[in-house]
Amino acid sequence: VGLTDFFNESLCLLLSRLRSEVAEKQLSQSCRCDHAATVPFLDVPIIRHGKVSSSNVSISPVLAAQMDRLTMVDNALFSVALRGFFGEIKDLEARLGRRVICPHVLKKAEPKLIYVANVTALYIASR
């Protein structure tokens, strides 16, 4: 399972499953959390096209209830995916003998994912 919130680390999981010299070299150079690590191999910029105001949107009570139900399901599904992802990352880190996901990456994700869990605590508690 890959997560866009942890894009580079998801690519590390993918690389770890590929059996080629190129994948092994990329895994060795980019998938590490230390001073010798290179710049992330796919540092994809996020481009926003303006700002959308949601303060003046009118939603019917029926639609709001439907959205709440979908959001509950989505939150539960993402929580399961996040736990599985961190388990896979921990397994990869154990095989490599080094950290793949850096503490600053976890800290950066915390405010965005606080609705699901404390990301750092969830990572620490994984396998």
Side-chain angles (χ1 to χ4, degrees):
V1 172
L3 301 175
T4 57
D5 296 292
F6 299 99
F7 187 78
N8 285 336
E9 295 78 12
S10 295
L11 289 174
C12 291
L13 288 175
L14 176 62
L15 285 172
S16 73
R17 292 183 175 112
L18 300 176
R19 303 290 180 227
S20 73
E21 283 185 35
V22 173
E24 287 296 323
K25 182 178 179 184
Q26 196 66 50
L27 184 66
S28 174
Q29 291 176 347
S30 299
C31 297
R32 54 190 323 115
C33 188
D34 61 23
H35 297 296
T38 60
V39 176
F41 52 92
L42 281 177
D43 193 14
V44 179
I46 297 172
I47 301 170
R48 290 186 171 72
H49 303 280
K51 185 176 180 182
V52 177
S53 174
S54 60
S55 60
N56 59 357
V57 175
S58 177
I59 298 174
S60 73
V62 172
L63 180 58
Q66 290 172 335
M67 290 169 62
D68 286 343
R69 282 195 300 279
L70 283 175
T71 302
M72 276 187 356
V73 171
D74 187 54
N75 287 352
L77 180 61
F78 187 74
S79 179
V80 170
L82 192 58
R83 290 173 201 281
F85 174 77
F86 283 152
E88 290 186 51
I89 287 290
K90 285 279 190 104
D91 289 346
L92 177 59
E93 290 175 337
R95 285 196 316 273
L96 297 175
R98 66 174 186 264
R99 290 280 302 261
V100 170
I101 191 164
C102 304
H104 76 274
V105 171
L106 294 168
K107 287 287 182 201
K108 183 179 176 184
E110 282 179 4
K112 193 168 43 169
L113 301 177
I114 194 65
Y115 70 95
V116 177
N118 179 315
V119 174
T120 301
L122 191 60
Y123 166 79
I124 292 169
S126 295
R127 295 183 214 167

